Amino acid sequence: MDRTLSPGELLDPRHEVVPFLGRAGEVAALTRWRDAGGARSVLLLHGPAGVGKTRLAARIGGVRVVDDADLVPWRDLHDLLLEGGERVLLVARATGWWWSAVRQRAADLGYAAEELALAAGAEPHDFGTVCAYVANALGLPAPDAATTSRVTSSGAVPPGATFHDLHVAAVAAAHGAVPDDDDPAELVRRVMSADPAPPRGRFAEDVLAVALLDDRIAPQPTADALEVLMRAADRWPHVPRRADELFTADPGLAATASAAALRALVELGSPASARAVARHVFHDARFHRDPLPALLTRALLEDAAPVVGTVELAELHGALAARAALAGLREEAVGASRREVVLYRRAAGDDPEHRLSLADALGDLGLRLVAVGRAGEALEVAREEVRLLRVVVAGDDDHLPRLAVALDRLGLRHASLGNGEEALAAVAEAAARYGESVKRDPALFGPEQAKVTHHHAVRLLDVGRREEAVRTARLAVARWREVAEGDPRFEAESARALRSVASLLSAADDLAHTVDFTRTDDLAGTDEALGVVQESISLLRRLARANPADFEPELASALGEASALLRRRHRFAEALAASGEAVLLRRRAARDADPDAVARLASALVEQVDVLREPERSAAAEEAADLLRPLAARLPAHRVAFAVALARVARVLLDADRDHEACRVVDEVTSIDPRLPRPLLVARGPGLASALHALAGALADHRHGERARRVAERAAGVWRELLGHHRAAPAAYAAAVHRAAGYATGDEALRRARGAVLVWHLTRTPEQLAVDVGYAEALSRYARRCVAAGAEVDRALLPAHRAVVVLRAAGVPREVLLRAVEVVDDVVRAHADPEAARARLRDEVGRVSPW
């Protein structure tokens, strides 16, 4: 050391005055965790103050360490995890709800979560050895054996003391402390007398705790002092009482204290102090989405439970569920919500007047279950809610709107599980119920009717009833238009709804061209969608003039959607004008360099590429990539947008015959870490897969087959990850695997074609496969590969025949059907016994292949 440490500094574990020994098992566990492959992981190393967590964490290199993680505001900790890192080690004194909130939010960002507890206990060094190291660091003679024996035998250092306690005792002994009783405060006082410098770290907590033994002394009402106070409360038994007295006498201190200090007050203090600070906490924006309000509600609930009635207790559980959910405590929210339902069920059994409250509690429980991925349970809860409300409405039809809400929610639950017809039936009844309510009060129920009409159109499209979906979508537009004209307060919601309806109309147009090859009305649905989104733009322009900050971003999004629709109609000049305005708005929003605003600007530039000419086209694509590259390196949330931008740059380079440069960019695209946090994957994965698919096609067109295959497989991988989380994923995954197989060559071609057919069987129902053109194409490709390879030809007979059956059922044009028939003929000719093959096919006519 360059200088002699003061007694207080010597207690800082980072100086490691006493060599680190022991904890071999814990070091090994941390090393295994650090070196494990697989998903990103966050580990909580926890234990009481002074047990050696900081020194143990310092033994593990190559990880990001956050000491005293329980003191870090949740937003900062969330941002730290968002920035990434394969392994993040959090060090804290305790677990509890703060850690549960971090763990569940970390899972959203793609982290696995683990824990490692450290128990208190002596170091391998005996106390005399610790004293010798400490005395040497202080430049003092080592205490003799009699002194060290008296310090430990006095009880001032109890059995099982922490490393910190041992070191405090060693410093005191080096300065001649020989306690006459078992009061550890005497050791602290001895160290204080030897070091006039202000105490820091854990020793500052000890000093404050010892000072507060005198009731005449009160801690300073500063944020730092209050945090030190509450950190001392779990080690010094008199401190919680003093904290209670302080906050009960002056609840306004809650406005000064940190979330961590108040969490400790709630967990260690009395119900009186919790009640005193409650009002301040619940109304303080600093604690929005922090676990503190939920912890406080739990404390108030536990205090009130013995004295309040069933209904009041149910209300408290409802409040707890809501605050827990807001803090990311989703599992805890489910538990509180279940208890709320149980209590309201009991209350409704005693008094039917509480049935509506029970229905509301069931609705909330369904939302909580969806948040933790228990869609099946959420469906059962929604069914119970509807059954209950049917009984209520039978006795009083004033509650029809509430039944309509429940039916709409039931439709959503069915849709999330792929139960298309059941979802449609529920939302159709919801629409009918709102129709009855609107007759009574159009102003009150008109917005809800417009909303459920839109949902009805979505459900119709889900089951393939396109014409009805389009008619219902038009009705939704008319109703939203009427709502906005009747009450300007709904203009913003109407504008958003119109954009969503426009997307539905465009999707309906896509569906028509997918399943009906004989259509002659070109892109009429696109024209209709364009008109709707332009109406939305008109509303948003007016709103943006009055409130630019809130509505210019929405206007930019709507302009981007209009540009895409205009491109489909080959109205490129208008598309360029719309995308140009969108880019200008995005540039304005990105002036302060907010990462999300910059990412949205980059996305707008990518969308603009298709309507620009060189050199502006290349400049826009490259600017988008340059904007996103530093964001993607720092924030994994922007990796998707970066990959999409790079894919577009590569396509621009390929179009310009700059293949060498394009291939370098493609290699960068495929080197981007494909692992994405689940919410990000669900929201942006389809767009990423689409960009990769387009890039694969461009690469194939330019004879870069191997790269095309790699990119196509990456697109298929995105859809595979979305299985079970996105309704379009099963069909899209099968189609993506089929496309990737098409880029394979040599011996791989047959194996991949066979695998593509298998994926279709695994991801689609027999009813869906019976009319799926993509499935038929996969069957034909497999048969062609068999013929080309001279292998599995006999096995290819039934798939080739099945392709013809499916295409005929799908109503494809004659030329498409004839190409599939030619494949059957090719298989027969390549068969070892063509006559036997023909006979077998004759037997199979009209039958469904078991292949």
Side-chain angles (χ1 to χ4, degrees), residues 222-520:
T222 65
D224 289 343
L226 293 172
E227 194 161 276
V228 170
L229 171 72
M230 297 316 307
R231 297 290 273 179
D234 65 343
R235 298 193 296 121
W236 293 86
H238 67 284
V239 174
R241 173 183 62 83
R242 297 300 310 274
D244 273 341
E245 294 170 353
L246 183 69
F247 282 95
T248 303
D250 186 3
L253 287 174
T256 301
S258 67
L262 291 169
R263 286 198 299 265
L265 176 70
V266 171
E267 292 178 325
L268 300 171
S270 70
S273 58
R275 287 193 298 271
V277 302
R279 179 173 58 85
H280 298 275
V281 168
F282 293 149
H283 292 92
D284 193 328
R286 291 181 301 152
F287 307 132
H288 179 67
R289 300 188 67 191
D290 188 274
L292 174 61
L295 282 167
L296 186 53
T297 304
R298 184 181 64 176
L300 296 175
L301 188 156
E302 291 170 350
D303 182 49
V307 296
V308 300
T310 301
V311 173
E312 291 83 355
L313 196 57
E315 291 171 350
L316 282 171
H317 276 92
L320 176 58
R323 287 171 178 148
L326 192 63
L329 294 159
R330 293 185 288 269
E331 292 289 352
E332 291 81 357
V334 168
S337 201
R338 287 192 193 280
R339 183 60 182 159
E340 179 192 14
V341 166
V342 168
L343 290 165
Y344 273 128
R345 199 174 274 135
R346 183 186 305 163
D350 295 335
D351 184 351
E353 288 295 320
H354 295 298
R355 287 182 299 195
L356 279 177
S357 296
L358 173 57
D360 289 340
L362 287 165
D364 289 342
L365 175 57
L367 293 173
R368 313 292 179 228
L369 289 166
V370 167
V372 296
R374 300 177 197 168
E377 292 179 64
L379 174 60
E380 292 308 312
V381 168
R383 283 171 168 156
E384 182 182 353
E385 181 187 6
V386 168
R387 286 195 299 269
L388 176 64
L389 286 166
R390 289 194 194 283
V391 173
V392 172
V393 169
D396 184 355
D397 63 3
D398 284 346
H399 298 297
L400 268 175
R402 182 63 185 81
L403 174 59
V405 170
L407 286 163
D408 190 23
R409 187 150 45 205
L410 177 60
L412 288 172
R413 302 292 173 261
H414 274 301
S416 70
L417 292 168
N419 305 331
E421 294 295 342
E422 293 88 342
L424 176 58
V427 77
E429 184 181 353
R433 298 292 189 178
Y434 271 125
E436 297 174 47
S437 299
V438 165
K439 291 176 183 176
R440 302 180 186 182
D441 192 336
L444 182 60
F445 298 113
E448 295 303 317
Q449 184 190 37
K451 188 183 302 180
V452 83
T453 303
H454 177 204
H455 295 171
H456 190 192
V458 173
R459 301 284 84 83
L460 284 164
L461 192 63
D462 283 347
V463 298
R465 291 161 64 174
R466 177 194 169 274
E467 298 298 336
E468 294 173 78
V470 170
R471 287 196 300 271
T472 306
R474 290 169 181 155
L475 181 58
V477 169
R479 285 177 172 165
W480 274 116
R481 189 179 292 137
E482 185 178 344
V483 166
E485 290 171 354
D487 189 341
R489 292 176 301 173
F490 288 101
E491 283 187 341
E493 188 173 359
S494 177
R496 297 183 190 108
L498 289 174
R499 286 175 56 203
S500 185
V501 173
S503 177
L504 185 148
L505 288 166
S506 180
D509 202 54
D510 292 340
L511 177 64
H513 284 80
T514 300
V515 303
D516 184 359
F517 291 87
T518 63
R519 278 174 54 93
T520 59

Side-chain angles (χ1 to χ4, degrees), residues 126-200:
D126 60 38
F127 184 58
T129 303
V130 173
C131 288
Y133 277 113
V134 168
N136 181 63
L138 292 169
L140 297 172
D144 57 31
T147 299
T148 59
S149 175
R150 289 181 63 186
V151 170
T152 53
S153 63
S154 69
V157 181
T162 67
F163 301 161
H164 173 73
D165 295 331
L166 285 176
H167 294 179
V168 169
V171 173
H175 286 87
V178 182
D180 294 326
D181 54 37
D182 61 358
D183 184 5
E186 288 300 318
L187 298 178
V188 175
R189 292 189 181 101
R190 168 62 71 169
V191 176
M192 290 169 58
S193 66
D195 188 353
R200 291 177 293 182

Side-chain angles (χ1 to χ4, degrees), residues 776 780 799-809 817 820-821 824:
S780 284
H801 165 69
R802 179 61 176 157
V804 174
V805 172
V806 171
L807 291 172
R808 185 180 291 119
L817 187 62
V821 172
V824 177

Side-chain angles (χ1 to χ4, degrees), residues 491 495 498-499 530-545 555 558-559 562 581:
E491 283 187 341
L498 289 174
R499 286 175 56 203
L530 179 59
V532 172
V533 80
Q534 285 174 334
E535 183 175 349
S536 172
I537 288 171
S538 296
L539 284 171
L540 289 168
R541 283 195 195 284
R542 184 163 63 251
L543 293 166
R545 282 194 291 270
L555 175 58
L559 286 162
E581 185 180 355

